[in-house]
Amino acid sequence: MKKIFSLLLILILSMSFSYGQKERKYIREGNDFYNKALSAKNHLDTEDYNKAEIAYRRAIALKPQDSKWNFNLADAMYKQKRFSEAAHFFQQLSKTEKDRMAKAKCYHNIGNSLLMQNKIDESIEAYKNALRLNPKDLETKYNLAYAQHQKKNQKKNQNKNNKNQNKQNKQNQNNKQNQNKQNKQDQQSGGGISKSNAESILQALDNEEKNNQQSRRIKAVSNPKHNVDKNW
């Protein structure tokens, strides 16, 4: 019986050792791909970040609760500009992470992910949570100040847009009032024509009649019905 128990113990230990080796292998691969992408000149090597993500996922499959590998996985998502997914992963980690500094990093990255989605108010709150845990983090302080500056600009632009919209609405209202006033004047003058327009039209008709009469006189003189001169 002792022999069987010893064999089972050896088998369990060997399997655990094998899983541990695979886990560390995947983590090394993930870190290598991540660092390679990070050192790229344009920092946009999403292909290597994607390879790092795959390696981290393989490691997590062997050790699902490992906060470090989950953090690396979320970071790889962030580098691929999948900000919504990254924010979700960091938020989940912030709920389970026990280490104070590690939790602060989670909130810092939550703030970054939210800020990249233009969720400024939420990002400010995340940065504040990070600073409550790690008040000396200069990078978080800088990002918080930047987010607050963006909020100020957003509010300023919003007020400007509201002011322009109110100005346009007032102008439209004035135009409508002027049009209604003109329509009322036209209706009072009869036939939908204002008094000044009616006088102009009558004057034009009178001028036309005079011109027609003058034209007829000229035509009668230049083209007489009876020729007074005879050709012999």
Side-chain angles (χ1 to χ4, degrees):
M1 185 69 179
K2 289 182 179 181
K3 187 176 181 180
I4 295 174
F5 178 78
S6 297
L7 290 173
L8 288 173
L9 181 60
I10 292 171
L11 180 61
I12 292 172
L13 290 173
S14 63
M15 289 178 64
S16 177
F17 179 74
S18 176
Y19 279 123
Q21 282 188 319
K22 285 184 178 181
E23 176 197 340
R24 287 190 292 273
K25 174 179 176 292
Y26 293 141
I27 291 302
R28 283 195 301 270
E29 288 179 359
N31 290 343
D32 288 342
F33 284 125
Y34 186 93
N35 291 329
K36 181 181 177 182
L38 194 63
S39 63
K41 291 182 179 180
N42 56 8
H43 299 289
L44 295 175
D45 191 351
T46 56
E47 183 177 351
D48 280 330
Y49 282 128
N50 180 254
K51 291 178 180 179
E53 177 189 346
I54 293 171
Y56 290 141
R57 286 187 181 278
R58 288 173 176 171
I60 292 170
L62 299 173
K63 198 175 182 181
Q65 303 304 320
D66 193 302
S67 60
K68 292 180 181 179
W69 313 150
N70 280 282
F71 186 95
N72 288 2
L73 173 61
D75 202 22
M77 291 178 177
Y78 178 88
K79 294 296 185 181
Q80 296 175 75
K81 301 186 183 300
R82 289 155 52 193
F83 304 119
S84 179
E85 292 178 75
H88 176 75
F89 260 78
F90 284 126
Q91 285 167 347
Q92 295 301 315
L93 282 170
S94 69
K95 297 175 183 177
T96 59
E97 183 59 66
K98 304 299 181 184
D99 183 78
R100 187 180 181 88
M101 295 297 101
K103 186 184 285 286
K105 290 180 180 179
C106 287
Y107 280 119
H108 174 92
N109 284 358
I110 290 171
N112 290 349
S113 300
L114 293 170
L115 186 60
M116 294 302 293
Q117 298 176 74
N118 205 34
K119 296 180 179 180
I120 299 176
D121 289 334
E122 295 93 327
S123 70
I124 290 174
E125 187 59 32
Y127 291 135
K128 287 181 178 179
N129 286 335
L131 289 174
R132 291 185 184 104
L133 294 167
N134 184 13
K136 296 181 180 180
D137 191 329
L138 295 178
E139 188 174 352
T140 302
K141 288 181 179 180
Y142 174 86
N143 287 8
L144 173 60
Y146 177 79
Q148 290 172 332
H149 179 71
Q150 289 295 96
K151 182 179 180 180
K152 184 178 179 180
N153 286 341
Q154 188 182 61
K155 188 175 181 180
K156 183 179 179 180
N157 291 333
Q158 185 176 2
N159 290 337
K160 184 178 180 181
N161 291 335
N162 290 338
K163 185 177 179 180
N164 291 336
Q165 185 62 47
N166 291 336
K167 185 177 179 180
Q168 183 63 43
N169 291 339
K170 186 176 180 179
Q171 182 64 38
N172 292 338
Q173 186 177 4
N174 290 337
N175 291 339
K176 186 175 181 180
Q177 290 175 349
N178 291 335
Q179 184 64 43
N180 290 338
K181 184 178 179 180
Q182 184 64 45
N183 291 340
K184 187 176 181 180
Q185 290 177 349
D186 291 345
Q187 290 173 359
Q188 289 175 350
S189 66
I193 303 175
S194 65
K195 183 178 179 180
S196 59
N197 288 341
E199 291 176 351
S200 298
I201 294 173
L202 290 174
Q203 184 64 42
L205 291 174
D206 186 55
N207 291 337
E208 183 179 1
E209 179 62 23
K210 289 179 180 179
N211 290 335
N212 288 338
Q213 291 176 358
Q214 181 68 20
S215 175
R216 285 196 293 272
R217 284 197 292 271
I218 294 172
K219 185 176 181 180
V221 171
S222 60
N223 296 286
K225 293 182 179 179
H226 303 285
N227 196 341
V228 294
D229 295 327
K230 294 183 180 179
N231 294 324
W232 300 97

